[in-house]
């Protein structure tokens, strides 16, 4: 019995032409490919009946949709040609897996693949050549990508920014010229300087600047109106490019060859404000967010409900004493002070008292695991759905094979059904390959959460300033009220954080404990 490959008589050809660089559209590349492929067909006495052109589509992108479209094209034109001719195999696909999948699909349709510039056929040597060329195409594409990336970062090391310039600058490079240093955009340069200057005063927010500059309807050198969103304002204030510095991918700061429009002192002052280390005025000792007083964002006066402030006061001997106090001059606790060391020590004890009990935490873990396991398929999302599609198609293929063995499907009907089922299964597997399903170790996460909750006061004591603030906001999003009676500190909170409240609610459901809607604990220091 003859091999299927040997039964195919080639008389008609379809040319498959594609190029990935948009600059080549309408240029010589597509014409060169077409002429070479037609000459190849003519040399073999094949009639060119179809020419399929894919313009400005990258072969690097191995997505299922593009592959499915090409397979569908070949199915629609089945019987119109016997061979698909490409200029080079890397025009066909630049991924080995994709190449061999497409090759198999063509063979099922009775279509052979040929390259106008490379020696491939169905012989053992031809198949070896084809496999090597497909692997080389993938390797070449990866190497080129790495080389281009390395070349771009070498430009950065030379002080040149090879990508699009940030807002306020423009490129003066002409077509086909080498990279040139960007120059300030005349229409936006002063606006950028004014933006930095305004923010450095500490009196306006990024949101305020966004609204102000959006109203000005400023235009760049391309005559495009700039929206100045809050995010773009933040990007500007954080971009060292404006003071003449390029940031390498490895974090190094490199002096750029472009003109700086912001002085380093102005940039650093804005950075100081952005990171909330200072109010930017340069005067006074108070800080809006002072690491010396981590509880300042959280503490509230129990009488007037206003936030407390904090400062250092000088003793008669000149020693600085840190303390918190109520700044509301209409409150009866106005200027009533709370010594920092004692207050923060008592706050740690308070955290230990309000955290969920170990019994409640365990009960929450059990319920959470039950619900998670019940919804596991939903949580795995698309990966599991695609895996289910593959399993379903495998069963369908097995059913078709069984039907053939039983004689229900015969001849061309059986052959067609097998090819259709195999094609669907291959496409589904290809789609599954592009989706990565990752297992979540829920028990490990819950164990970590339990450890964090059970030791939260110790974690808070040892944490740096920024983490302390996050813990406070996590546990007490509405803050905590503080008062003092006869030297003893008393705390109360109107609202526990979502997770703490949830754990308490879960725990109370299966116990005799009743959790009130409003948790209000008054605890002696």
């Amino acid at each position: 019995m003859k091999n299927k490959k040997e039964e195919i008589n080639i008389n008609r050809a379809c040319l498959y032409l594609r190029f990935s660089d948009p600059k080549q559209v309408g240029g010589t590349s597509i014409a060169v490919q077409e002429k070479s492929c037609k000459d190849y067909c003519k040399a073999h006495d094949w009639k060119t009946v179809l020419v399929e052109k894919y313009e400005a589509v990258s072969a690097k992108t191995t997505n299922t949709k593009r592959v499915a479209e090409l397979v569908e094209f070949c199915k629609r034109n089945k019987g119109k040609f016997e061979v698909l001719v490409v200029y080079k195999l890397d025009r066909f696909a630049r991924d080995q897996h994709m190449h061999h999948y497409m090759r198999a699909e063509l063979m099922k349709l009775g279509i052979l693949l040929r390259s106008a510039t490379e020696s491939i056929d169905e012989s053992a040597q031809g198949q070896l050549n084809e496999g090597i060329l497909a692997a080389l195409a993938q390797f070449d594409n990866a190497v080129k990508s790495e080389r281009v990336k390395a070349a771009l970062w070498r430009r950065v090391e030379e002080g040149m920014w090879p990508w699009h310039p940030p807002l306020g600058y423009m490129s003066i490079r002409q077509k086909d010229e080498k990279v040139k240093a960007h120059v300030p955009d005349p229409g936006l340069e002063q606006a950028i300087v004014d933006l930095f200057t305004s923010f450095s005063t500490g009196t306006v927010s990024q949101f305020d600047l966004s609204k102000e500059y959006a109203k000005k309807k400023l235009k760049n050198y391309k005559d495009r109106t700039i929206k100045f969103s809050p995010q773009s304002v933040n990007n500007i204030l954080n971009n060292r490019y404006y003071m003449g510095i390029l940031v390498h991918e490895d974090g190094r700061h490199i002096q750029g060859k472009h003109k700086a429009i912001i002085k380093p002192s102005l940039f650093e002052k804005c950075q100081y404000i952005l990171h909330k280390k200072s109010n930017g005025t340069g005067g006074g000792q108070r800080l809006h967010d002072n690491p010396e007083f981590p509880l300042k964002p959280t503490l509230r006066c129990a009488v007037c409900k206003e936030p407390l402030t904090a400062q250092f006061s000088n003793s008669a001997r000149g020693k600085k004493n840190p303390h918190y106090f109520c700044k509301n001059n209409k409150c009866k606790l106005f200027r009533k002070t709370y010594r920092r060391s004692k207050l923060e020590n008592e706050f740690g004890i308070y955290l230990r008292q309000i955290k969920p009990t170990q019994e409640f935490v365990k009960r929450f873990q059990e319920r959470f695991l039950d619900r998670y396991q019940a919804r596991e398929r939903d949580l795995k999302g698309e990966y599991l759905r695609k895996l289910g599609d593959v399993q379903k198609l495998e069963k369908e293929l097995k059913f078709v094979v069984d039907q053939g063995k039983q004689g229900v499907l015969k001849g061309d009907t059986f052959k067609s059904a097998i090819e259709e089922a195999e094609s669907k299964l291959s496409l589904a597997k290809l789609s599954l390959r592009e989706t990565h399903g990752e297992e979540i170790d829920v028990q490990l996460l819950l164990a970590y959460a339990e450890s964090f909750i059970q030791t939260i006061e110790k974690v808070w004591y040892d944490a740096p300033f920024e983490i302390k603030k996050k813990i406070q906001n996590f546990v007490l999003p509405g803050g905590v009220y503080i008062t003092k009676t006869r030297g003893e500190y008393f705390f109360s909170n109107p609202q526990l954080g979502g997770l703490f409240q949830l754990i308490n609610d879960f725990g109370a459901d299966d116990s005799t404990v009743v959790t009130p809607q409003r948790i209000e604990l008054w605890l002696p220091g």
Side-chain angles (χ1 to χ4, degrees):
M1 184 177 186
K2 288 186 178 182
N3 187 293
K4 177 178 179 179
K5 298 174 185 177
E6 298 174 349
E7 293 177 350
I8 300 175
N9 295 316
I10 304 175
N11 295 306
R12 297 163 299 175
C14 172
L15 310 187
Y16 177 71
L17 312 175
R18 183 179 64 199
F19 49 92
S20 56
D21 187 351
K23 294 179 182 178
Q24 296 174 349
V25 175
T28 59
S29 178
I30 199 74
V32 169
Q33 289 186 43
E34 186 170 358
K35 183 179 183 305
S36 180
C37 290
K38 285 184 175 179
D39 289 346
Y40 179 81
C41 292
K42 186 177 180 180
H44 289 78
D45 286 331
W46 300 338
K47 182 181 179 181
T48 302
V49 294
L50 289 172
V51 178
E52 186 70 6
K53 298 179 182 180
Y54 283 73
E55 297 184 348
V57 177
S58 175
K60 179 181 176 182
T61 307
T62 58
N63 61 73
T64 306
K65 182 179 178 182
R66 179 176 60 78
V67 173
E69 287 174 352
L70 182 54
V71 172
E72 185 59 31
F73 168 79
C74 292
K75 285 182 177 179
R76 288 198 310 269
N77 293 282
K78 183 180 180 181
K80 294 181 180 179
F81 59 93
E82 297 83 30
V83 62
L84 185 71
V85 179
V86 297
Y87 178 67
K88 289 185 68 176
L89 289 185
D90 63 4
R91 298 290 90 193
F92 181 66
R94 293 182 185 170
D95 175 274
Q96 291 185 75
H97 186 86
M98 188 66 65
H99 174 92
H100 293 299
Y101 165 75
M102 285 297 305
R103 189 75 154 91
E105 290 300 304
L106 291 176
M107 185 55 63
K108 291 175 185 177
L109 297 171
I111 298 172
L112 299 179
L113 176 67
R114 291 291 184 268
S115 168
T117 58
E118 296 153 327
S119 177
I120 64 169
D121 53 38
E122 281 62 55
S123 67
Q125 184 63 48
Q127 292 182 49
L128 176 62
N129 290 345
E130 183 176 348
I132 292 173
L133 290 169
L136 287 175
Q138 180 174 335
F139 173 75
D140 180 63
N141 195 56
V143 169
K144 284 180 179 178
S145 179
E146 291 176 0
R147 285 176 179 171
V148 169
K149 183 179 178 182
L152 291 173
W153 284 112
R154 277 198 300 272
R155 286 291 189 184
V156 174
E157 291 175 349
E158 295 168 0
M160 310 289 281
W161 191 252
W163 297 285
H164 188 74
L167 199 63
Y169 284 87
M170 63 182 190
S171 174
I172 57 173
R173 184 177 64 167
Q174 299 300 317
K175 187 177 180 181
D176 299 326
E177 281 188 331
K178 292 183 178 181
V179 176
K180 288 185 177 181
H182 299 142
V183 298
D185 182 347
L188 291 175
E189 179 180 3
Q190 190 57 47
I192 298 296
V193 175
D194 293 342
L195 188 149
F196 273 93
T197 303
S198 297
F199 189 75
S200 70
T201 64
T203 59
V204 292
S205 67
Q206 296 176 66
F207 183 74
D208 293 333
L209 288 172
S210 172
K211 289 197 299 182
E212 177 187 345
Y213 278 75
K215 289 178 182 178
K216 293 182 179 181
K217 298 187 182 300
L218 298 170
K219 294 186 177 182
N220 66 3
Y221 66 101
K222 293 183 178 179
D223 201 37
R224 183 170 65 87
T225 302
I226 307 302
K227 294 181 179 181
F228 282 100
S229 66
Q231 183 60 55
S232 67
V233 170
N234 182 265
N235 291 341
I236 291 170
L237 293 171
N238 279 292
N239 196 340
R240 295 182 179 275
Y241 191 94
Y242 295 105
M243 65 171 183
I245 299 297
L246 305 180
V247 181
H248 198 276
E249 65 173 342
D250 60 14
R252 284 181 292 150
H253 289 179
I254 298 167
Q255 184 64 50
K257 292 184 178 179
H258 62 284
K259 176 188 174 184
I261 60 177
I262 299 298
K263 293 181 178 180
S265 58
L266 177 58
F267 182 86
E268 294 302 338
K269 191 172 185 180
C270 291
Q271 286 293 295
Y272 199 54
I273 296 170
L274 283 169
H275 295 143
K276 300 181 179 180
K277 292 180 179 178
S278 168
N279 62 4
T281 61
Q285 296 298 316
R286 286 184 190 168
L287 299 176
H288 290 309
D289 218 353
N290 193 340
E292 297 285 353
F293 299 100
L295 285 175
K296 185 180 173 184
T298 302
L299 294 176
R300 304 283 187 274
C301 175
V303 175
C304 68
K305 313 302 182 187
E306 291 292 320
L308 296 190
T309 190
Q311 69 177 26
F312 289 93
S313 61
N314 295 323
S315 67
R317 296 182 179 180
K319 182 181 178 181
K320 289 188 175 182
N321 298 314
H323 56 263
Y324 297 86
F325 64 94
C326 178
K327 62 181 178 180
N328 183 3
N329 58 12
K330 297 180 180 179
C331 178
K332 67 179 183 180
L333 297 181
F334 176 56
R335 292 244 173 231
K336 190 161 189 174
T337 62
Y338 304 87
R339 190 156 48 91
R340 184 187 65 180
S341 58
K342 182 176 181 180
L343 178 60
E344 293 178 2
N345 182 62
E346 296 295 341
F347 180 76
I349 297 173
Y350 178 67
L351 285 177
R352 186 171 68 240
Q353 293 171 326
I354 64 172
K355 68 186 179 185
T357 65
Q358 191 167 8
E359 178 190 357
F360 279 15
V361 172
K362 291 293 185 185
R363 191 169 292 149
F364 172 79
Q365 287 179 317
E366 292 171 1
R367 286 196 167 192
F368 184 88
L369 278 173
D370 287 343
R371 294 190 181 186
Y372 176 81
Q373 290 166 358
R375 297 178 57 222
E376 190 171 15
R377 288 186 63 84
D378 293 335
L379 293 175
K380 288 183 179 177
E382 186 180 6
Y383 181 81
L384 284 181
R385 180 182 63 77
K386 290 185 176 182
L387 182 60
D389 291 342
V390 170
Q391 292 170 342
K392 180 181 176 182
L393 290 169
E394 286 175 340
K395 290 180 180 178
E396 289 181 4
L397 177 60
K398 184 178 182 301
F399 175 76
V400 171
V401 172
D402 291 342
Q403 292 286 291
K405 289 179 179 179
Q406 296 170 14
V408 178
L409 296 176
K410 300 179 180 179
D412 290 341
T413 302
F414 174 65
K415 180 180 174 182
S416 177
I418 282 288
E419 289 181 351
E420 183 69 21
E422 287 179 343
S423 177
K424 288 182 179 180
L425 180 59
S426 296
L427 200 59
K429 286 182 176 179
L430 194 63
S431 180
L432 177 65
R433 181 172 172 264
E434 293 178 349
T435 306
H436 301 282
E438 296 183 2
E439 293 292 332
I440 300 174
D441 193 338
V442 179
Q443 292 187 334
L444 180 63
L445 293 176
L446 288 175
Y448 175 82
E450 179 185 7
S451 174
F452 171 77
I453 291 170
Q454 295 304 323
T455 61
I456 192 166
E457 68 280 4
K458 295 178 181 178
V459 175
W460 183 85
Y461 277 130
D462 298 334
F465 172 62
E466 291 297 332
I467 302 301
K468 274 187 168 73
K469 288 196 305 177
K470 290 180 180 180
I471 292 174
Q472 290 159 205
N473 189 55
F474 172 73
V475 178
L476 302 161
V480 62
Y481 297 140
I482 176 71
T483 188
K484 181 169 67 172
T485 303
R486 297 177 182 177
E488 296 294 327
Y489 295 168
F490 297 88
F491 294 95
S492 68
N493 67 288
Q495 173 191 0
L496 277 179
L499 181 60
F500 274 36
Q501 186 63 59
L502 185 64
I503 292 173
N504 282 333
D505 289 344
F506 267 91
D509 280 348
D510 293 334
S511 70
T512 56
V513 178
V514 178
T515 304
Q517 293 297 319
R518 175 183 171 88
I519 298 176
E520 188 162 357
L521 302 173
W522 287 89
L523 304 168

